Amino acid sequence: MDGEERGYWRWSKRDFFPEESFQSFGSYRAALSQTCSRFKNRLVSRSDDETERFELKKQSEHEMKRCLTWWDLVWFGFGSVIGAGIFVLTGQEAHEQAGPAIVLSYVVSGVSAMLSVFCYTEFSMEVPVAGGSFAYLRIELGDFAAFITAGNILLESIVGTAAVARAWTSYFATLLNRKPNALRIKTDLSSGFNLLDPIAVVVIAAATTIASISTRKTSLLNWIASAINTFVIFFVIVAGFIHADTSNLTPFLPYGPEGVFRAAAVVYFAYGGFDSIATMAEETKNPSRDIPIGLLGSMSIITVIYCLMALSLSMMQKYTDIDPNAAYSVAFQSVGMKWGKYLVALGALKGMTTVLLVAALAHARYVTHIARTHMIPPIFALVHPKTGTPINANLLVSIPSALIAFFSGLDVLSSLLSISILFIFTMMPVALLVRRYYVREVTPRADLLKLIICLLVVVASSMGTSAYWGMRLKGSWIGYTITVPFWFLGTLGIVLFVPQQRTPKVWGVPLVPWLPCLSIATNIFLMGSLGAEAFIRFGVCTLAMLVYYLLFGLHATFDMAHQQTVPKS
């Protein structure tokens, strides 16, 4: 009753730290003295479907409004995935890595993305909650694995939003026929921080405001902007085929199969963002039906669109003549359509606008569910009673994003962003396999041990394949004759020696465990293409997350699990 009477805007200490461990210095010191025992408890503790779907939602005090259908979710898929990446990455990789075979790179990366989509689809039908991958991993892999995922989700949310906002400014300048940095303020700060971007801040603020006011209105705006962007893409494809010269497709594989896969590792990130759909479960009228349609429908169409766009570019210009910085604009000029560059800039601008809109919605839902578990202060779990949206969660992401976008060029953080996304996508198929083959208090210990051994073999062999590929030993395939058979044996071991303990209620990923294990392998393979520097930064960020977890998150979630919180009144 006390929770209902209180207003939404509240800032007391107990709203941020209601747990018993933080009520006094003495209680906090006592909690720190129990860090080891509490860590062991949370390391093996796993949530369950009912807790995630019903119990944790009470932390938000109010329900989100169910106002979305499968039609909205399909367009959310378009809005979250199709940004500037397709316009930038295609020309870059066609020129430097794959040649006309860039279309095969999009096929490979599209298949890899679809494997992850399958995993998200099964989970979203079984556990339709706002937390998406965080909630799924908390159920199957436990509290600690979910925390590491939560840290990467927050990192990806903040840095990704800032990166897109700065790119928005660059494309807006291009649309005005000016240089990309023309609208930024030059200062004497150090390189990488000397170009201040107030427009990026305004764009983030606008997207956050719209997403906070109404999910339904955000969906309508996304639909309009995505429809305009789709028209631009349709024009690019048609114009490309009208001015096509099939002789430009020869030679088709100038850099060999290696070039196709290296390009696939880069263009894979043009498919990023589809996981946003799964976070809309609590606002979807029929999540068990609509979310799978939204995920599978949008990603299937997007894969076809990407392949057609890549093919049209390759036929308009010889791969050696493609401009890696402005591929489509220069290609249109080469066929006498100089005005085409403005249409491309408009399409990219509209694409980034929808990416920011959908991201504002999805990231806030992630944050809301993370806060429900008290891994971050529970005040960020609150849903506004009038708007039915988590405004505090929106602010938690948008304010640091705006600060980073204002000061930083983000060149240093781009690879870190990529590895965070791939880490989450790698954890998902692992969680799916655990869900299918392990049920607490049902699965015999011997079967659990077999599953762990087989999963370790699959992961280790996938890492070996990725590492061998990264060594760039041209023409040498000896390493793959060792790593690939081990991956096959690890997967076959699950088939032969570990009985399935659970079958999906409605729809499940086909060919289990083969497709999930293949998803693990492809995501680890793509992670290996990012270089050592990205892993060093990832390790530093993970270490910082662990420090926070041991000092705050661990004790808050332990108290939450054992209901040691102070009354709100």
Side-chain angles (χ1 to χ4, degrees):
M1 194 68 180
D2 293 328
E4 293 178 6
E5 294 174 353
R6 303 185 71 200
Y8 185 80
W9 305 107
R10 55 184 93 151
W11 308 101
S12 71
K13 176 192 171 185
R14 288 185 178 178
D15 292 314
F16 284 86
F17 300 104
E19 302 83 14
E20 185 63 36
S21 296
F22 304 109
Q23 296 314 303
S24 67
F25 181 74
S27 60
Y28 181 58
R29 187 171 56 185
L32 289 178
S33 67
Q34 301 171 31
T35 297
C36 289
S37 60
R38 290 187 172 195
F39 181 75
K40 290 178 183 177
N41 176 274
R42 303 320 299 157
L43 187 64
V44 297
S45 295
R46 299 165 70 211
S47 184
D48 56 65
D49 294 10
E50 299 303 307
T51 299
E52 298 297 315
R53 292 184 62 185
F54 303 110
E55 290 301 316
L56 287 179
K57 286 172 68 174
K58 297 175 184 177
Q59 296 290 318
S60 295
E61 295 185 6
H62 298 92
E63 294 270 343
M64 297 183 194
K65 296 179 180 178
R66 293 194 180 272
C67 56
L68 304 176
T69 65
W70 65 268
W71 177 258
D72 297 295
L73 296 180
V74 168
W75 283 103
F76 271 137
F78 274 78
S80 63
V81 175
I82 302 179
I86 179 65
F87 295 101
V88 177
L89 298 176
T90 306
Q92 173 186 307
E93 296 306 305
H95 180 78
E96 299 173 0
Q97 297 283 5
I102 184 67
V103 64
L104 297 183
S105 299
Y106 273 106
V107 171
V108 171
S109 55
V111 169
S112 178
M114 285 301 293
L115 292 174
S116 296
V117 168
F118 282 152
C119 296
Y120 271 89
T121 301
E122 179 172 329
F123 270 114
S124 66
M125 297 178 75
E126 302 269 317
V127 193
V129 294
S133 54
F134 168 75
Y136 311 150
L137 295 178
R138 191 164 179 265
I139 292 170
E140 301 305 332
L141 300 184
D143 219 54
F144 180 67
F147 170 78
I148 298 298
T149 304
N152 280 281
I153 288 172
L154 289 172
L155 180 67
E156 187 266 334
S157 301
I158 293 168
V159 176
T161 299
V164 175
R166 284 189 70 94
W168 197 98
T169 302
S170 299
Y171 273 89
F172 184 60
T174 303
L175 195 61
L176 298 177
N177 202 25
R178 301 176 70 178
K179 293 182 179 180
N181 288 325
L183 301 179
R184 297 191 174 106
I185 302 171
K186 295 182 180 179
T187 67
D188 295 328
L189 296 174
S190 59
S191 178
F193 301 91
N194 60 333
L195 294 173
L196 306 185
D197 197 336
I199 293 177
V201 176
V202 173
V203 170
I204 291 173
T208 302
T209 302
I210 294 169
S212 298
I213 291 173
S214 169
T215 301
R216 185 66 200 152
K217 290 177 181 176
T218 305
S219 176
L220 179 61
L221 192 58
N222 170 72
W223 186 90
I224 295 170
S226 295
I228 295 173
N229 195 28
T230 303
F231 169 76
V232 173
I233 290 171
F234 181 74
F235 165 81
V236 169
I237 294 171
V238 172
F241 282 108
I242 289 175
H243 296 89
D245 182 356
T246 53
S247 65
N248 289 331
L249 296 176
T250 306
F252 188 68
L253 285 165
Y255 300 101
E258 295 92 345
V260 172
F261 287 105
R262 290 201 179 100
V266 176
V267 302
Y268 178 83
F269 304 110
Y271 289 95
F274 64 82
D275 55 315
S276 299
I277 298 173
T279 66
M280 304 296 171
E282 291 181 25
E283 292 154 286
T284 304
K285 294 178 180 178
N286 188 349
S288 295
R289 182 199 66 184
D290 295 344
I291 289 180
I293 295 174
L295 278 167
L296 297 172
S298 61
M299 285 302 293
S300 300
I301 297 170
I302 288 167
T303 301
V304 174
I305 287 174
Y306 279 3
C307 292
L308 290 175
M309 285 189 71
L311 186 60
S312 68
L313 178 65
S314 298
M315 290 197 296
M316 265 200 294
Q317 263 194 318
K318 192 81 173 175
Y319 75 94
T320 51
D321 298 328
I322 291 175
D323 189 320
N325 298 314
Y328 286 94
S329 299
V330 173
F332 280 126
Q333 289 181 32
S334 70
V335 295
M337 298 172 65
K338 293 183 180 180
W339 52 270
K341 71 175 184 178
Y342 298 109
L343 196 63
V344 170
L346 177 64
L349 200 64
K350 288 292 183 182
M352 285 182 287
T353 301
T354 59
V355 167
L356 285 170
L357 277 174
V358 179
L361 283 177
H363 295 161
R365 274 73 189 158
Y366 272 128
V367 170
T368 298
H369 203 77
I370 293 169
R372 286 170 175 171
T373 67
H374 289 219
M375 284 189 182
I376 59 177
I379 194 171
F380 297 109
L382 298 179
V383 172
H384 197 280
K386 291 184 178 179
T387 64
T389 59
I391 298 177
N392 287 343
N394 262 324
L395 294 175
L396 180 64
V397 175
S398 62
I399 291 175
S401 293
L403 289 172
I404 293 173
F406 185 66
F407 288 104
S408 176
L410 295 172
D411 295 332
V412 175
L413 294 173
S414 58
S415 59
L416 179 60
L417 178 64
S418 301
I419 201 169
S420 294
I421 296 170
L422 283 170
F423 174 79
I424 296 169
F425 287 174
T426 303
M427 296 287 279
M428 282 296 293
V430 174
L432 182 76
L433 290 171
V434 172
R435 184 173 183 83
R436 289 288 194 95
Y437 289 93
Y438 174 67
V439 176
R440 276 171 292 185
E441 300 178 2
V442 174
T443 304
R445 189 174 181 83
D447 288 344
L448 174 60
L449 185 62
K450 293 174 191 174
L451 176 63
I452 293 172
I453 292 172
C454 291
L455 281 174
L456 288 174
V457 171
V458 168
V459 171
S461 59
S462 300
M463 292 173 67
T465 302
S466 180
Y468 192 73
W469 175 267
M471 293 169 66
R472 304 288 196 267
L473 300 176
K474 192 172 182 179
S476 177
W477 299 88
I478 297 175
Y480 303 126
T481 61
I482 299 173
T483 59
V484 175
F486 265 99
W487 173 89
F488 179 82
L489 290 174
T491 309
L492 186 63
I494 297 176
V495 175
L496 297 178
F497 303 115
V498 187
Q500 278 202 46
Q501 300 287 349
R502 193 197 314 252
T503 55
K505 299 172 186 174
V506 184
W507 181 89
V509 176
L511 299 176
V512 172
W514 296 101
L515 289 187
C517 287
L518 185 59
S519 182
I520 293 170
T522 54
N523 285 316
I524 291 177
F525 178 82
L526 293 173
M527 287 174 72
S529 70
L530 295 173
E533 198 173 74
F535 283 91
I536 293 172
R537 292 173 189 150
F538 180 74
V540 171
C541 288
T542 302
L543 185 62
M545 294 173 197
L546 286 174
V547 171
Y548 168 84
Y549 184 69
L550 294 175
L551 294 178
F552 296 100
L554 169 64
H555 308 292
T557 53
F558 181 87
D559 286 352
M560 173 64 180
H562 297 81
Q563 295 299 310
Q564 296 177 18
T565 58
V566 175
K568 294 179 181 178
S569 59

